[in-house]
Amino acid sequence: MRLTRQTNYAMRILMYCAANNDRLSRIPEIAAAYSVSELFLFKILQPLVEHGLVETVRGRNGGVRLGRAAESISVFDVVRVTEESFAMAECFENDAAECPLVDSCALNSALREALNAFFAVLERYTIADLVAARPNVRNLLGIDMLVERRAPAA
């Protein structure tokens, strides 16, 4: 199983927002942190917003933030929203080629079991877990430098 680039960056958006939970995140900042285009991130943002994983705040000081607590967003939640298909073999698809074993295939059964195990593992991890695994994630993403630059002079 290989996840798409869209899923990879959806996770990164959510991780950035979780690491930056004390303020709104801006797409240009996230794009710069990951060296990816803003347009690409805006496209990925849409399904995340539609499924309540991210909220957008419009206006001059707007941005994005997690739609719910990082502890309540599983990796599986993100994968389910961003991946189009989980067909591991042709026989998983609705328009599969005719096969006399389709209803009693041991391969189909084994692949379905493997896919369910994959989903079960993804369900155990949250966005909060991913961010907590790297205590210096704010520094790695350049968030602390942004906060320092925005701090008012005393």
Side-chain angles (χ1 to χ4, degrees), residues 6 19 46 50 52 57 68 86 97 102 119 128 152:
Q6 178 175 338
Q46 184 180 0
E50 286 173 6
V57 177
R68 57 185 200 246
F86 297 105
V102 74
F119 290 157

Side-chain angles (χ1 to χ4, degrees), residues 6-79:
Q6 178 175 338
T7 298
N8 182 0
Y9 280 94
M11 296 285 182
R12 292 179 190 210
I13 290 170
L14 295 171
M15 291 171 65
Y16 188 99
C17 290
N20 190 33
N21 64 352
D22 55 338
R23 66 179 192 86
L24 292 173
S25 299
R26 295 194 170 118
I27 293 300
E29 295 168 357
I30 299 170
Y34 295 121
S35 300
V36 67
S37 85
E38 293 176 30
L39 182 59
F40 178 64
L41 292 186
F42 275 116
K43 288 178 183 177
I44 294 169
L45 198 60
Q46 184 180 0
L48 298 177
V49 170
E50 286 173 6
H51 289 88
L53 300 178
V54 172
E55 293 178 345
T56 58
V57 177
R58 297 191 186 275
R60 184 170 180 240
N61 295 315
V64 297
R65 63 180 167 223
L66 293 181
R68 57 185 200 246
E71 295 82 12
S72 71
I73 301 173
S74 74
V75 173
F76 179 59
D77 292 335
V78 183
V79 169

Side-chain angles (χ1 to χ4, degrees), residues 97-111:
E98 291 297 317
C99 175
L101 302 177
V102 74
D103 291 326
S104 61
C105 179
L107 173 61
N108 192 319
S109 178
L111 292 176

Side-chain angles (χ1 to χ4, degrees), residues 85-100:
S85 171
F86 297 105
M88 294 178 68
E90 184 181 2
C91 51
F92 275 64
E93 298 172 9
N94 290 337
D95 58 346
E98 291 297 317
C99 175

Side-chain angles (χ1 to χ4, degrees), residues 117-128:
F118 177 67
F119 290 157
V121 170
L122 296 182
E123 188 68 44
R124 289 196 322 248
Y125 292 91
T126 67
I127 297 301

